Amino acid sequence: MVLTQSGKNDGWSVSNVSLRQSPGDASFVTLLRAGLVTLMCSAISMPALSDTFQPFVQAGIDHDDNLFRTPEGQTRGSNGGSDTARTVGGGTRFELPVSRQLFSGIAEAVSVKFDHNRQLDHTRKNLRGDWHWFVARNFEGHIGGRYVQELPSFSDFNSDQRNLRTSKRRYADGSWRFHSSWRWHAGYAKDEFSYDLASQRTSARTEEAKLTGVDYLARSGSTVGVQLRRLEGKYPFRSSFGGTDLFANGYIQDEAKLNVLWLASGRTQVLFLGGWVQRKQKSDIERAKSGTNARLIVNWAPTGRIKLSGQAWREFSAIDGALIDSALNDGASAAMTWDFSEKIQGVVDLKHEDRTFSPYGGSGAQMGWTSTSDSSKTHSVGLIYKPLRSITLKATAFRDERAGSVIAGTRSFKANGAALSAILEFN
């Protein structure tokens, strides 16, 4: 196993869905309840469609009491920013072995409709495909891609209009086990991000990552190695300040890191990727940064029913903002799953992150800026129930809050929400 980084540092996300009813909820809940009963009855006698394709359908109710992430005392959008969305959709997963090759993927579309802020209605799309290839005895790798269209969080987006984000990813990697204890690997990935609204065009970007490394493979299954990576970000539109296009946001990031997978025991797994990183802004030499970047992941299963996972990180990342487009993120998270029974599972997620920004020399120096930061916390709890092997019911509640920075243009807010969802798999 090799721990690598993609071009974009994706954080954990929590589905925002509602438990409270609006005037139209009663009929929807009645319809959903009747549909679930019908699906459960049909699932009891449903034969497996195929070992290759696994179709599924899903429905849910999402509520957020501060959808637009506005500070206390301010409102935006209809109904004071509190809204409920209904989601209905489906798709299919597939897994197709052909000799030693393995092809897999997912195709999914979900309709999202809001009670009050109808301008946000959209269809969420998710397409992914992967080819796990093998050649001879010692060569293997992956070739694949993904296409995702969704409504991103309003945390760093100051508007109540629909701003769909489209992300595309293409990747290829491979490894050569040239000795029983040694492996060489290399990879390439290209990510593209674009936004619907013209006001967010400066966040559109392309990120290309190239990496290579060598690993030592211990008999225990643990590995240790070194990895070199270059990440280049290109922005087709320049950032504006005071109504004038001023800054080209491109950057080059070079990394030299230690890559470790330690199977400490049958119940404990430790992953570490960290080392030296230098990030240079193409148009602003004053914002060049270097130092330590790292991510530590510890997975522990103290019992057969309880699984714990903890992470800590210090990493550069891109920010979807108009003026300050990158930050150094320091954070930690913890997650727990508890199987109360074969059919019921509890889930808890906790996350805290501080982001340190470096304003542009052109604007920041003139106004006396050096650096600034914000801090965010996200907590969520959930309950998953599987009355049948093909049916999954889930309830989630969350709290999201941030202490923002006026200088960086990030807002302080508090938001609460809850979720109910049902998934039926035809397998």
Side-chain angles (χ1 to χ4, degrees):
M1 181 181 296
V2 179
L3 180 64
T4 60
Q5 288 180 290
S6 68
K8 178 177 173 62
N9 298 308
D10 294 320
W12 293 0
S13 61
V14 180
S15 175
N16 305 333
V17 190
S18 175
L19 294 175
R20 79 170 91 161
Q21 292 187 356
S22 67
D25 283 350
S27 60
F28 178 81
V29 172
T30 301
L31 180 61
L32 178 60
R33 186 185 298 119
L36 288 176
V37 171
T38 303
L39 291 175
M40 291 177 67
C41 294
S42 63
I44 295 175
S45 59
M46 184 187 304
L49 293 182
S50 171
D51 292 334
T52 300
F53 293 94
Q54 299 175 350
F56 61 90
V57 293
Q58 63 187 59
I61 307 175
D62 301 50
H63 179 78
D64 196 311
D65 71 355
N66 188 5
L67 179 64
F68 299 107
R69 298 300 185 263
T70 55
E72 292 187 25
Q74 299 182 21
T75 60
R76 177 176 288 119
S78 301
N79 200 42
S82 176
D83 210 339
T84 298
R86 292 166 176 76
T87 59
V88 178
T92 184
R93 300 180 184 90
F94 73 91
E95 187 172 285
L96 176 64
V98 179
S99 185
R100 296 175 61 205
Q101 316 302 311
L102 180 62
F103 300 89
S104 61
I106 183 173
E108 177 185 18
V110 179
S111 173
V112 183
K113 295 186 179 298
F114 291 83
D115 277 357
H116 302 286
N117 295 276
R118 301 289 180 83
Q119 76 278 9
L120 301 180
D121 291 355
H122 65 283
T123 299
R124 187 169 66 238
K125 303 171 185 176
N126 179 19
L127 298 172
R128 301 170 189 257
D130 179 82
W131 171 23
H132 189 178
W133 59 266
F134 298 85
V135 176
R137 294 180 54 188
N138 301 321
F139 297 88
E140 67 173 286
H142 295 264
I143 298 175
R146 74 180 182 208
Y147 174 93
V148 178
Q149 187 179 71
E150 60 188 349
L151 186 70
S153 169
F154 286 87
S155 298
D156 295 314
F157 176 47
N158 191 24
S159 175
D160 61 358
Q161 298 303 304
R162 188 179 71 177
N163 181 42
L164 294 182
R165 176 177 62 196
T166 300
S167 60
K168 303 175 185 177
R169 178 175 175 83
R170 289 165 282 176
Y171 62 87
D173 61 64
S175 66
W176 172 32
R177 190 162 180 169
F178 58 89
H179 185 274
S180 59
S181 299
W182 292 93
R183 176 181 59 202
W184 170 82
H185 65 91
Y188 170 82
K190 183 176 182 179
D191 292 275
E192 298 176 72
F193 304 92
S194 60
Y195 295 83
D196 274 359
L197 288 184
S199 61
Q200 281 292 102
R201 68 174 190 169
T202 54
S203 293
R205 64 188 182 276
T206 298
E207 296 178 335
E208 290 187 85
K210 305 169 187 176
L211 66 87
T212 187
V214 177
D215 302 302
Y216 172 74
L217 314 177
R219 292 183 178 180
S220 64
S222 300
T223 67
V224 59
V226 294
Q227 177 177 293
L228 304 177
R229 186 176 82 133
R230 165 163 282 199
L231 176 63
E232 184 174 3
K234 301 177 182 178
Y235 290 72
F237 303 103
R238 301 171 70 89
S239 287
S240 62
F241 185 71
T244 304
D245 289 343
L246 295 178
F247 310 119
N249 296 339
Y251 65 88
I252 295 177
Q253 180 171 311
D254 292 311
E255 307 173 357
K257 294 183 176 181
L258 180 68
N259 190 8
V260 177
L261 166 64
W262 177 30
L263 303 180
S265 69
R267 296 180 180 272
T268 306
Q269 179 190 73
V270 180
L271 300 96
F272 175 79
L273 179 66
W276 175 87
V277 172
Q278 183 180 64
R279 187 182 182 99
K280 297 179 180 179
Q281 300 295 140
K282 292 182 179 179
S283 63
D284 190 350
I285 192 171
E286 295 183 25
R287 299 179 72 226
K289 297 290 183 180
S290 64
T292 301
N293 271 206
R295 180 175 289 263
L296 174 68
I297 304 174
V298 179
N299 299 317
W300 179 42
T303 71
R305 291 183 178 273
I306 298 177
K307 297 179 178 63
L308 303 173
S309 179
Q311 295 193 43
W313 61 89
R314 178 181 175 84
E315 297 173 338
F316 290 113
S317 72
I319 303 298
D320 293 342
L323 180 59
I324 300 178
D325 68 317
S326 65
L328 177 61
N329 299 344
D330 294 278
S333 66
M336 180 184 72
T337 60
W338 189 339
D339 297 331
F340 300 120
S341 69
E342 291 184 356
K343 295 185 177 183
I344 301 176
Q345 181 185 75
V347 180
V348 177
D349 283 322
L350 308 173
K351 178 183 175 182
H352 177 89
E353 185 174 65
D354 297 320
R355 302 188 299 181
T356 302
F357 305 94
S358 295
Y360 290 92
S363 61
Q366 295 174 6
M367 304 182 69
W369 300 357
T370 53
S371 65
T372 186
S373 63
D374 64 16
S375 179
S376 61
K377 293 186 292 185
T378 302
H379 305 152
S380 70
V381 294
L383 191 64
I384 301 173
Y385 175 48
K386 292 183 69 69
L388 296 171
R389 185 172 63 92
S390 58
I391 294 178
T392 302
L393 307 177
K394 185 175 181 180
T396 304
F398 78 92
R399 179 175 177 83
D400 185 15
E401 58 182 290
R402 184 171 70 188
S405 168
V406 176
I407 295 177
T410 62
R411 303 182 299 277
S412 298
F413 60 77
K414 294 180 181 179
N416 302 283
L420 287 175
S421 64
I423 300 176
L424 170 64
E425 299 176 299
F426 301 88
N427 53 21

